[in-house]
């Protein structure tokens, strides 16, 4: 009896792995095709023309900040140097307990503004004060009571003046042309794009000067390097692949552009989830289906946002369990869309993908490992078969990681040194023997956290950007 | 069955292993070659840059730039693309074009502009436009009628770089019904600094085109600061089409002069907020102090932008306007008007 159950489970795992790996292979091929198309267009698209044109739609950049004293100044400087004709930066200090507000005051000479008659379109926690920088008039700081990231973004939307907004994390930096590249589909597509996301890359290890990324290098920390590969896989393969199927259900909270009208129509960011970025996109997609609109949510692979990633076990586990809780909350909230033909490919493909691959996948993989070990112990497993199957899954994992590096090398080549490439290739093998399993454990723990109703954000410790010290003096002269 | 599975797995593993190995080797070798070539290009760039610049500034010996290797031509092309954004003189552009001919770049681009692969043609078109290679104009004019969006937009852009505005205007007049509205707007955006002849040509044709195109051309005449078009534009203030009237107001605001101040001021009482808004803009840009009386009530308009622009305009009209704002801040019965006056006065106090 036990042996029968065991065999059935084994077959299930076997089939599951084959289907999921097949889907990943499909995503890789689709991504390759889409990147190729994108590269065909990029050499002659005149970014400069858009950045000088009166037709370029103005945009509000919203930066929610909670305890970001180590990175906030560099982030703001990187935003001030963006190449875009008309934009405003709204920093929302979400009741930080550290020196975030003081850092902003000191560096940008903030002057208090009367909170003018505001169209409060979304309910938020009370705003205490509002400031404008006397050095940079386009910089506005809102100081509000703590209500979480989603609440801060909603407050930012209330204060924003322009028809589009861009959400950027306070521990992230945009490249100067990122905004214009991400907005380009909006100019070209006219009314047909409601949201657009760009690629997130790992800033750890890179050198930052005056808010600019001076040198792109790989981090030395093993957690961070593994995340470099993971981000490449996730964005260059996953997002681009899903985008080509018009099934994008997530735009990273670290960098995404939205048309305000639709976001207001769906009630802004949801404050009841820790995965507010995915929740918003799923809400928007549902809204578009219900409206029978042909508008799209897009992913563009070139606009880059550089973000700081956790470099230790504790912070990584917090972040990953939180992501898993957010995903689970969204899947539960929108369970009505699963296999629902009313939502077409979203209901029949994207949501099942997120359920079976992204949400349950790591846990199924972990259970598979446990069962195989258990089977080996009780002699229930065909040893040659188990060894070969295990080797196959590991090798396929390596293949996917190397494929992501191949896509990167084929397209944007941010890491110039051969030594960096060799390191990436080495880690694409190594990560399959520890990081992948670690992630599976974190994500499985996410279920426990959810059922224990421990669904808060937790404390995320920042290390800060790797600042070029020689540039500090010129930085202060701005 | 199990044996077959094991056999299949073995074969798959062998394949994946071979693929990974091949990818590893390919990636590393490619990276090394690419970096080596990049270093060579950088070295050549620093070697050739001063020579090219010298040649553009002073007539040089074309033979110096007899370049056979493709990668070297690429480097020189990049130097020339940088140079055209600095050297704008007619003689300098002529020398740049001569240099392009000498190194075979013009021929290469001509061949590419005719290429059937749209992305190759579009990239070559972009370079031809920026380098102002007049010899390629006929091909660019052919490509502007291409069915491929990316190709015809890059051809239009190249023609605008070469200031062949007349061709673009004619293209718009002839193809309006075939083009998407957004594409038309993109082309119109490229028409900057129209010459006197172009302005005259547009004015002559304006009455024969659709209201949509009329509106866009009125706006572009304003942006080009074509003062010769002021009277014809002012005629459109009496149009039955509200959008045309708004475009005419906007163009007059750009021209910063008007011969019909009373008509402009009458728009402050319009039911359309767009007309009210643009009338305020005209009053500000033309400094029409007689409009101040009509602007004050708009401080309590139900549209935020109108309140904002009205307050900004009052401030710009000098001490009497500022006095009106101060008065509004203190005693106006409408809270929104008081707050807007406060905001503008505050903004200008810093």
């Amino acid at each position: 009896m036990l042996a029968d159950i065991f065999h059935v489970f084994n077959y299930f795992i076997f089939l599951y792995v084959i289907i999921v790996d097949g889907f990943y292979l499909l995503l890789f091929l689709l991504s390759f095709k889409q990147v190729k198309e994108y590269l065909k267009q990029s050499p002659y698209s005149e970014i400069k023309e858009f950045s000088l044109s009166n037709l370029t739609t103005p945009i509000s950049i919203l930066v929610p900040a909670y305890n970001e004293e180590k990175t906030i100044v560099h982030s703001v400087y990187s935003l001030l140097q963006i190449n875009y004709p008309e934009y405003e930066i709204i920093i929302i200090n979400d009741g930080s307990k550290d020196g975030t507000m003081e850092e902003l005051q000191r560096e940008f000479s903030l002057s208090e503004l009367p909170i003018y008659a505001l169209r409060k379109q979304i309910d938020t926690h009370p705003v205490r004060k509002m400031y404008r920088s006397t050095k940079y008039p386009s910089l506005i700081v809102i100081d509000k009571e703590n209500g979480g990231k989603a609440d801060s973004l909603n407050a930012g939307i209330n204060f924003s003046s322009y028809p589009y907004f861009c959400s950027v994390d306070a521990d992230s930096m945009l490249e100067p042309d990122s905004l214009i590249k991400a907005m380009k589909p909006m100019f070209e597509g006219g009314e047909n794009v409601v949201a657009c996301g760009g690629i997130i890359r790992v800033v750890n290890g890179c050198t930052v000067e005056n808010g600019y990324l001076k040198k792109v290098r790989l981090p030395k920390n093993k957690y961070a390097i593994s995340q470099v590969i993971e981000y490449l896989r996730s964005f260059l393969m996953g997002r681009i692949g899903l985008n080509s199927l018009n099934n994008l259900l997530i735009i990273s909270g670290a960098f995404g552009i939205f048309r305000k009208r639709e976001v207001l129509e769906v009630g802004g960011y949801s404050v009841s989830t820790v995965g507010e970025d995915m929740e918003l996109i799923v809400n928007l997609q549902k809204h578009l289906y219900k409206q029978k609109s042909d508008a799209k949510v897009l992913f563009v692979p070139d606009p880059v946002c550089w973000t700081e990633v956790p470099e230790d076990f504790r912070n990584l586990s917090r972040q990953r369990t939180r992501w898993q809780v957010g995903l689970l909350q969204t899947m539960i909230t929108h369970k009505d869309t699963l296999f629902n033909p009313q939502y077409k490919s979203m209901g029949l493909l994207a949501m099942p993908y997120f359920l079976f691959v992204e949400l349950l996948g790591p846990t199924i993989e972990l259970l598979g490992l446990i069962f195989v070990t258990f089977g080996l112990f009780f002699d229930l497993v065909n040893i040659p078969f188990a060894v070969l199957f295990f080797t196959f899954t590991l090798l396929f994992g390596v293949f996917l990681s190397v494929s992501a590096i191949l896509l990167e090398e084929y397209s944007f080549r941010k890491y110039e040194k051969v030594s960096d490439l060799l390191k990436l290739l080495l880690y694409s093998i190594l990560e399959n023997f520890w990081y992948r399993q670690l992630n599976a454990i974190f994500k499985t723990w996410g279920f426990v956290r959810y059922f224990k109703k421990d669904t808060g954000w937790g404390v995320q410790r920042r290390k800060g950007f790797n600042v070029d010290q020689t540039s500090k003096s010129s930085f202060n002269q701005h | 069955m199990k044996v077959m599975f094991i056999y299949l797995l073995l074969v798959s593993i062998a394949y994946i292993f071979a693929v990974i190995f091949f990818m590893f080797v390919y990636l590393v070798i490619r990276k090394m070659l690419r970096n080596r070539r990049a270093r060579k290009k950088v070295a050549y760039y620093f070697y050739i840059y001063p020579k090219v610049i010298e040649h553009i500034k002073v007539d040089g010996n074309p033979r110096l730039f007899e370049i056979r290797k493709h990668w070297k031509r690429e480097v020189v092309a990049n130097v020339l693309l940088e140079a055209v954004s600095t050297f704008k003189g007619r003689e300098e552009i002529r020398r740049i074009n001569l240099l392009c001919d000498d190194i075979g770049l013009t021929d290469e681009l001509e061949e590419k502009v005719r290429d059937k692969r749209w992305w190759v043609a579009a990239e070559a078109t972009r370079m031809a436009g920026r380098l102002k290679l007049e010899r390629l104009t006929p091909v660019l004019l052919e490509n502007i009628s291409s069915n491929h969006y990316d190709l015809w937009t890059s051809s239009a852009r190249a023609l605008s770089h070469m200031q062949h505005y007349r061709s673009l205007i004619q293209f718009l007049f002839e193809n309006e019904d075939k083009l998407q509205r957004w594409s038309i707007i993109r082309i119109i955006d490229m028409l900057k600094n129209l010459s006197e002849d172009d302005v005259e040509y547009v004015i002559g044709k304006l009455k024969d085109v659709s209201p949509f195109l009329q509106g866009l051309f009125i706006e572009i005449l304003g942006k080009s600061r074509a003062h010769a078009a002021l009277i014809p534009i002012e005629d459109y203030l009496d149009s039955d089409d509200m959008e045309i009237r708004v475009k005419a107001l906007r163009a007059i605001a750009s021209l910063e002069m008007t011969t019909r101040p009373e008509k402009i001021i009458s728009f402050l009482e319009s039911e359309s907020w767009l007309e009210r808004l643009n009338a305020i803009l005209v009053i500000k840009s033309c400094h029409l102090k007689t409009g101040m009386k009509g602007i004050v009530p708009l401080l309590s308009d139900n549209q935020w932008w109108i309140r904002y622009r009205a307050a900004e305009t009052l401030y710009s009209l000098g001490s009497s306007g500022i006095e009106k704002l101060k008065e509004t801040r203190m005693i106006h019965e409408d809270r929104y008007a008081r707050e807007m006056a406060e905001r503008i006065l505050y903004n200008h106090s810093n």
Side-chain angles (χ1 to χ4, degrees), chain A residues 14 40 43-44 46 49 53 55 111-113 117 187-188 388 392 395 403 409 413 415-416 421 425, chain B residues 6 13 16 20 23 27 30-31 34-35 118-119 122-123 126 150 157 182 185 189 336 339 346:
Chain A
F14 180 76
K40 276 179 193 169
Y44 62 84
E46 298 268 351
E49 183 191 313
S53 171
L55 292 176
S111 147
E112 195 178 332
L113 279 181
F187 312 141
E188 291 180 344
L388 284 176
F392 172 82
L395 266 183
S403 301
E409 282 300 306
R413 293 184 292 279
Y415 300 98
E416 286 175 359
L421 174 68
L425 290 171
Chain B
I6 288 176
I13 288 170
I16 297 174
I20 292 172
M23 284 160 91
L27 281 170
R30 187 174 183 263
K31 188 83 171 176
R34 195 174 263 281
N35 283 1
W118 62 263
W119 60 95
E123 163 69 347
R126 178 188 74 97
D150 293 278
R157 199 182 292 133
W182 183 247
I185 294 170
D189 193 39
Y336 290 97
E339 285 192 359
Y346 179 87

Side-chain angles (χ1 to χ4, degrees), chain B residues 47-56 64-65:
Chain B
Y47 163 76
I48 205 75
Y49 186 91
K51 292 180 191 293
V52 173
I53 299 300
E54 185 67 17
H55 182 86
I56 295 169
L64 265 178
F65 300 101

Side-chain angles (χ1 to χ4, degrees), chain A residues 222-240:
Chain A
K222 64 180 178 183
Y223 289 99
I225 300 181
S226 302
Q227 285 172 87
V228 170
I229 297 167
E230 188 188 16
Y231 275 51
L232 288 178
R233 215 170 38 220
S234 164
F235 283 92
L236 285 180
M237 279 175 64
R239 301 278 164 94
I240 298 179

Side-chain angles (χ1 to χ4, degrees), chain B residues 120-277:
Chain B
V120 175
E123 163 69 347
T125 301
R126 178 188 74 97
M127 286 177 74
R130 287 187 59 197
L131 293 168
K132 299 186 171 58
L133 297 176
E134 291 289 342
R135 211 181 90 190
L136 303 193
T137 309
V139 199
L140 299 182
L141 285 169
E142 277 173 37
N143 282 354
I144 202 175
S145 305
S146 157
N147 288 328
H148 201 286
Y149 173 85
D150 293 278
L151 183 53
W152 78 252
T153 45
S154 55
S155 303
R157 199 182 292 133
L159 288 166
S160 81
H161 275 303
M162 290 149 88
Q163 299 195 333
H164 286 297
Y165 295 136
R166 179 69 65 89
S167 315
L168 290 174
I169 296 166
Q170 271 172 346
F171 174 72
L172 279 178
F173 285 151
E174 286 161 17
N175 296 282
E176 191 201 344
D177 47 342
K178 294 180 206 156
L179 296 169
Q180 285 187 339
R181 286 199 159 198
W182 183 247
S183 306
I184 296 173
I185 294 170
R186 290 277 313 271
I187 296 182
I188 293 278
D189 193 39
M190 295 172 193
L191 302 174
K192 286 166 187 156
N193 306 319
L194 293 179
S195 68
E196 279 179 24
D197 287 349
D198 293 331
V199 169
E200 208 173 301
Y201 178 72
V202 171
I203 293 171
K205 289 268 186 184
L206 211 50
K207 291 225 184 302
D208 307 326
V209 296
S210 71
F212 173 65
L213 214 49
Q214 258 176 6
L216 290 174
F217 272 112
I218 289 171
E219 210 170 350
I220 208 71
L221 286 170
K223 276 185 196 160
S224 303
R225 301 179 71 81
H227 290 104
L230 178 65
I231 303 293
I233 289 174
E234 283 183 332
D235 287 346
Y236 285 99
L237 291 175
D238 302 316
S239 166
D240 294 333
D241 186 332
M242 193 266 283
E243 269 192 43
I244 298 279
R245 293 196 302 270
V246 169
K247 299 271 185 192
L249 282 168
R250 208 173 285 164
I252 295 166
S254 302
L255 292 172
E256 295 178 5
M257 60 196 293
T258 179
T259 60
R260 300 178 66 186
E262 290 82 15
K263 181 74 187 172
I264 302 290
I265 291 165
S266 72
F267 281 113
L268 293 175
E269 289 169 15
S270 164
E271 282 182 9
S272 154
W273 72 273
L274 278 170
E275 284 183 330
R276 296 199 300 277
L277 181 70

Side-chain angles (χ1 to χ4, degrees), chain A residues 7 11 14 18 28 37 40-41 43-46 48-50 52-55 111-119 132 134 161-162 186-190 382 384-385 387-389 391-392 395-396 398-399 402-406 409-411 413-418 421-422 425-426 428-429, chain B residues 1-2 5-10 12-14 16-17 19-20 23-32 34-35 85 118-120 122-124 126-127 130 148-151 153-154 157 160-161 180 182 185-190 192 223 304-305 307 309 335-336 339-340 342-343 346-347 350:
Chain A
H7 284 303
Y11 276 116
F14 180 76
I18 298 295
F28 167 64
E37 284 301 311
K40 276 179 193 169
Q41 285 182 349
Y44 62 84
S45 47
E46 298 268 351
K48 198 177 160 193
E49 183 191 313
F50 286 117
L52 295 174
S53 171
N54 292 330
L55 292 176
S111 147
E112 195 178 332
L113 279 181
I115 300 179
Y116 49 82
L118 164 78
R119 272 194 304 165
R132 187 187 289 277
T134 50
S161 315
Y162 298 131
M186 318 267 189
F187 312 141
E188 291 180 344
N382 176 332
F385 181 80
V387 170
L388 284 176
F389 187 61
T391 313
F392 172 82
L395 266 183
F396 200 84
V398 176
F399 167 75
V402 178
S403 301
I405 298 170
L406 178 79
E409 282 300 306
Y410 173 70
S411 53
R413 293 184 292 279
K414 293 285 177 187
Y415 300 98
E416 286 175 359
K417 290 194 169 256
V418 178
L421 174 68
L422 286 170
L425 290 171
L426 179 69
S428 68
I429 302 171
Chain B
M1 185 74 170
K2 268 183 188 163
F5 267 138
I6 288 176
Y7 177 74
L8 269 177
L9 275 175
L10 261 175
S12 310
I13 288 170
I16 297 174
F17 188 79
V19 169
I20 292 172
M23 284 160 91
F24 260 67
V25 174
Y26 169 75
L27 281 170
V28 174
I29 292 176
R30 187 174 183 263
K31 188 83 171 176
M32 285 164 74
R34 195 174 263 281
N35 283 1
S85 52
W118 62 263
W119 60 95
V120 175
E123 163 69 347
R126 178 188 74 97
M127 286 177 74
R130 287 187 59 197
H148 201 286
Y149 173 85
D150 293 278
L151 183 53
T153 45
S154 55
R157 199 182 292 133
S160 81
H161 275 303
Q180 285 187 339
W182 183 247
I185 294 170
R186 290 277 313 271
I187 296 182
I188 293 278
D189 193 39
M190 295 172 193
K192 286 166 187 156
K223 276 185 196 160
W304 185 88
W305 276 109
R307 297 200 299 275
R309 294 291 181 206
R335 175 191 155 212
Y336 290 97
E339 285 192 359
M340 187 54 79
E342 165 74 35
R343 183 179 176 181
Y346 179 87
N347 283 353
N350 283 312

Side-chain angles (χ1 to χ4, degrees), chain A residues 146-163:
Chain A
N146 182 262
K149 186 178 172 186
D151 190 66
S152 305
L153 285 164
N154 287 338
I157 293 172
N158 281 338
F159 278 87
S160 63
S161 315
Y162 298 131

